[in-house]
Amino acid sequence: MAFPRKEQPVSDFVSARHPGEQISFMRHGVHVSGSIHKILDNSVIVEISESDAVQIGAASNLTVVAHKNYTVV
């Protein structure tokens, strides 16, 4: 039995985001910049450089960032 999904209003900040947009965030004390790859309900998937991925210890050049933890460049 599946429960129906609750529809939640989308904030103006989140609705204004689009794939390819440049954002920046902090991870493990490192300032990281990247572009939005996919927008989710509570976060975005961000494509970052290989060197930034190594610095923050990410397994690939894609990482998840909560909407509250990034700024638009």
Side-chain angles (χ1 to χ4, degrees), residues 43-58:
S43 58
V44 289
I45 298 176
V46 182
E47 186 172 359
I48 59 176
S49 69
E50 292 292 333
S51 61
D52 282 344
V54 170
Q55 281 187 325
I56 65 172

Side-chain angles (χ1 to χ4, degrees), residues 27-66:
R27 176 82 48 90
H28 304 298
V30 178
H31 181 78
V32 182
S33 294
S35 62
I36 296 176
H37 181 73
K38 185 173 182 179
I39 303 166
L40 305 172
D41 289 340
N42 297 313
S43 58
V44 289
I45 298 176
V46 182
E47 186 172 359
I48 59 176
S49 69
E50 292 292 333
S51 61
D52 282 344
V54 170
Q55 281 187 325
I56 65 172
S60 73
N61 68 329
L62 295 177
T63 189
V64 178
V65 182

